Amino acid sequence: MATSGLYRRVLPSPPAIDFASDEGKKLFIEAIQAGTMEGFYKLISYFQTQSEPAYCGLASLSMVLNALAIDPGRKWKGPWRWFDESMLDCCEPLEKVKAEGISFGKVACLAQCAGAEVEAFRTNETTVDLFRQFVKRCSSSDNCHLVSSYHRAAFKQTGTGHFSPIGGYHAGSDMVLILDVARFKYPPHWVPLTLLWEAMDTVDKTTGQRRGYVKYLTLCTLICSSCKNESWVSVVKYLMDDVPHLLKSEDVKDINGILSILLASPPSSLGKFIQWVAEVKREQDGGIGISEEEKQRLAIREELLKQVQDTGFFKYIVNFLSSTLCCGRVPVFGGSGNLHEIAASICCQGAEILSGKSGTSGCSCGHETCVKCMKADGHKTGMVLSATIVKGKNEEKVNMLVPQSLMELCCGAPDPNNCSSTQPVGSNILTALLLTLPPETWYGIKDEKLQEEVQSLISMDNLPAMLQEQVLHLRRQLYHLKKCQENMVDEILPAPCP
């Protein structure tokens, strides 16, 4: 029996050109030949239809985040970490988005919280020529994507405000490909770039501000965080609210004094947060086979760890934490043990992740634990930790991929059979967190010479380019998560990257 309702719409053409039409195919082939469809392949691999009529912003964002291969740092279903609309509820409750949609600013904030490198532009803050430059640049790359916020009326389409990714560009006709996430309504279609600009240059009545576009880039991060991770939210509050107050309340004379104050009563979640998110594989899922993408990602993390360990702040933190360990105090973020014990512990955590029962007890490890080096571009960049996990009568072999220098922090000797703890685990992540603090955080230090010394330690001029990028990214995450919590993201968008 037929049911009344709507089955798609006829795409108004002109001004749009159906992607699957003869003319649309011709534009597509010519754009491929011109090299301005490079971003299309990743986007189409993760193309999805919005699951709710008002979820266009969330669908566009989850599609782009997956295309950029950004790890959400939390599970979607079963053991799998994957971005889905249902996970993008940081800046606005899903029930509210379902009823009212989501604003341009909050879509940009969500991406920032999820770990993407974000630049957001309202039309009154930029020009059509600059927009065209971004379209050309992102259409010629597979690690840069644009999402447009526009009003459908400019295209003679039904509906009002809408979000969709831009899938490509045809230079000869100056047209862009809109990968409309409302596929139940309209198919992907080509539209004139200038007309899309007019559609973006409209006012959202809910916020009173103009629409625009957001550029997303991928960034391999040293710290995998999520605004829905309770330990991360707690750490952000501690860094942004508590640390400045603590520095003002005490008259400290040296760096050890500062560390003593900051680490005397850290949030209980700090230890849980300072964990490396490793790649986990079951033996039957491919053994220790590592993809080129994993190798590249691990090589970047390895280099970042080395750069952190070369900073002056890292040396202070290691010495401070080592002295507390010698006094019999175990830091909340620390740990010790030889390399095989660490491998067994990490693999046990991996087995829990794979089973979807993280945090459960009754897992014993240690059988056939081994450590193997992994190379990328001819250099040792990581280690594969393998172990047989015993759960009652059942055994399961798992492998986990971690940066080599992380293991060196736990073990001073490269020989797994001759291992002694020399540096507390977590020193690198703690250093990165302190470098991430906004410079004004340290203004509360009363001793002028000490304040100068701290400013020198955290100065961006003294950091390598890759670590600078990482620190700036984390600072933006801290800043926008706080603004998101204060419901101010529509007033202050993620700024263009320095």
Side-chain angles (χ1 to χ4, degrees):
M1 180 178 178
T3 302
S4 62
L6 297 174
Y7 180 71
R8 307 190 69 174
R9 294 278 193 188
V10 175
L11 179 71
S13 180
I17 298 174
D18 191 329
F19 176 66
S21 68
D22 289 343
E23 188 176 359
K25 293 176 185 177
K26 182 174 181 292
L27 292 172
F28 180 57
I29 292 171
E30 291 174 353
I32 289 176
Q33 294 171 342
T36 52
M37 292 298 298
E38 292 303 307
F40 172 82
Y41 303 104
K42 287 286 182 71
L43 287 172
I44 207 66
S45 298
Y46 303 100
F47 196 11
Q48 67 184 73
T49 302
Q50 60 190 82
S51 61
E52 295 286 344
Y55 272 12
C56 55
L58 302 186
S60 298
L61 180 54
S62 60
M63 177 176 159
V64 166
L65 293 173
N66 288 323
L68 290 172
I70 294 176
D71 189 335
R74 58 191 177 116
K75 291 181 291 184
W76 164 57
K77 292 180 182 179
W80 301 106
R81 301 197 299 269
W82 179 258
F83 278 107
D84 178 74
E85 296 159 310
S86 62
M87 298 170 64
L88 300 174
D89 57 348
C90 172
C91 298
E92 198 81 292
L94 290 177
E95 284 303 312
K96 185 174 181 181
V97 178
K98 186 176 179 180
E100 305 173 9
I102 192 168
S103 69
F104 177 73
K106 288 180 180 175
V107 167
C109 177
L110 275 171
Q112 185 83 56
C113 291
E117 191 72 47
V118 181
E119 295 182 66
F121 301 87
R122 297 191 191 280
T123 54
N124 59 313
E125 300 168 339
T126 182
T127 65
V128 65
D129 291 332
L130 184 60
F131 173 55
R132 184 179 288 105
Q133 290 179 30
F134 277 123
V135 169
K136 290 179 180 178
R137 190 183 308 169
C138 289
S139 297
S140 304
S141 168
D142 64 357
N143 67 348
C144 169
H145 300 292
L146 294 176
V147 169
S148 174
S149 171
Y150 59 95
H151 198 289
R152 285 191 181 275
F155 304 139
K156 301 179 182 178
Q157 298 173 3
T158 62
T160 54
H162 190 57
F163 290 90
S164 279
I166 295 175
Y169 177 67
H170 186 275
S173 61
D174 195 31
M175 299 188 83
V176 295
L177 177 62
I178 300 292
L179 295 179
D180 198 328
V181 291
R183 289 191 288 179
F184 51 83
K185 187 175 184 180
Y186 294 117
H189 48 274
W190 295 92
V191 295
L193 182 144
T194 52
L195 189 60
L196 175 58
W197 175 264
E198 291 177 17
M200 294 190 300
D201 193 26
T202 53
V203 175
D204 181 347
K205 294 180 180 179
T206 303
T207 63
Q209 303 207 43
R210 292 192 179 274
R211 298 180 171 87
Y213 60 97
V214 185
K215 183 182 80 169
Y216 302 97
L217 291 168
T218 186
L219 179 68
C220 182
T221 57
L222 183 62
I223 298 175
C224 184
S225 58
S226 166
C227 57
K228 296 303 292 183
N229 184 315
E230 292 183 5
S231 61
W232 174 234
V233 173
S234 176
V235 168
V236 168
K237 181 182 183 303
Y238 177 70
L239 294 175
M240 297 294 282
D241 298 337
D242 299 343
V243 168
H245 175 73
L246 289 170
L247 291 174
K248 289 179 182 178
S249 62
E250 299 284 346
D251 188 11
V252 291
K253 299 298 183 183
D254 55 28
I255 301 295
N256 279 346
I258 292 175
L259 295 177
S260 180
I261 291 172
L262 298 185
L263 303 180
S265 56
S268 59
S269 57
L270 186 58
K272 182 180 179 182
F273 175 71
I274 300 181
Q275 298 173 355
W276 189 264
V277 179
E279 300 297 333
V280 190
K281 293 180 182 293
R282 285 189 178 96
E283 188 75 16
Q284 63 267 32
D285 289 342
I288 60 173
I290 306 300
S291 69
E292 287 302 313
E293 184 179 79
E294 288 173 320
K295 287 183 180 180
Q296 292 173 6
R297 184 164 61 243
L298 196 73
I300 293 173
R301 286 177 171 172
E302 179 71 15
E303 180 58 31
L304 280 169
L305 280 169
K306 290 178 179 177
Q307 291 184 7
V308 168
Q309 292 158 21
D310 286 339
T311 64
F313 226 143
F314 177 80
K315 295 174 177 62
Y316 275 111
I317 290 173
V318 166
N319 290 335
F320 176 81
L321 297 183
S322 297
S323 67
T324 60
L325 281 171
C326 291
C327 296
R329 296 167 54 201
V330 180
V332 67
F333 39 79
S336 62
N338 66 45
L339 193 55
H340 282 284
E341 290 173 348
I342 292 165
S345 175
I346 292 178
C347 284
C348 187
Q349 294 173 18
E352 292 175 353
I353 292 171
L354 286 170
S355 66
K357 299 177 181 179
S358 182
T360 59
S361 58
C363 173
S364 61
C365 319
H367 297 275
E368 301 177 14
T369 302
C370 64
V371 182
K372 298 180 182 180
C373 290
M374 189 220 71
K375 293 184 178 182
D377 300 326
H379 301 287
K380 292 181 180 179
T381 59
M383 305 185 82
V384 177
L385 310 180
S386 301
T388 299
I389 309 304
V390 180
K391 293 183 178 181
K393 296 181 179 180
N394 299 320
E395 291 188 359
E396 182 176 31
K397 289 186 177 181
V398 298
N399 303 289
M400 294 192 75
L401 181 65
V402 297
Q404 180 175 319
S405 59
L406 186 68
M407 290 295 96
E408 291 171 355
L409 284 179
C410 308
C411 178
D415 180 4
N417 297 314
N418 181 22
C419 201
S420 59
S421 180
T422 58
Q423 296 176 343
V425 180
S427 301
N428 44 12
I429 305 299
L430 184 58
T431 301
L433 287 173
L434 293 183
L435 288 173
T436 296
L437 287 170
E440 58 269 20
T441 302
W442 309 97
Y443 292 166
I445 299 174
K446 298 179 177 66
D447 188 292
E448 292 184 4
K449 289 186 178 180
L450 179 58
Q451 186 176 129
E452 288 179 5
E453 182 181 2
V454 172
Q455 293 293 345
S456 176
L457 289 173
I458 67 169
S459 172
M460 296 295 287
D461 296 336
N462 298 332
L463 301 180
M466 185 183 292
L467 186 55
Q468 283 187 24
E469 182 182 30
Q470 187 77 190
V471 168
L472 288 172
H473 171 73
L474 286 171
R475 281 182 183 173
R476 284 192 287 268
Q477 270 207 323
L478 291 175
Y479 179 74
H480 289 288
L481 180 55
K482 188 171 177 61
K483 291 300 177 185
C484 187
Q485 293 169 342
E486 296 172 353
N487 201 29
M488 292 181 62
V489 294
D490 281 311
E491 285 73 23
I492 305 174
L493 294 175
C497 302

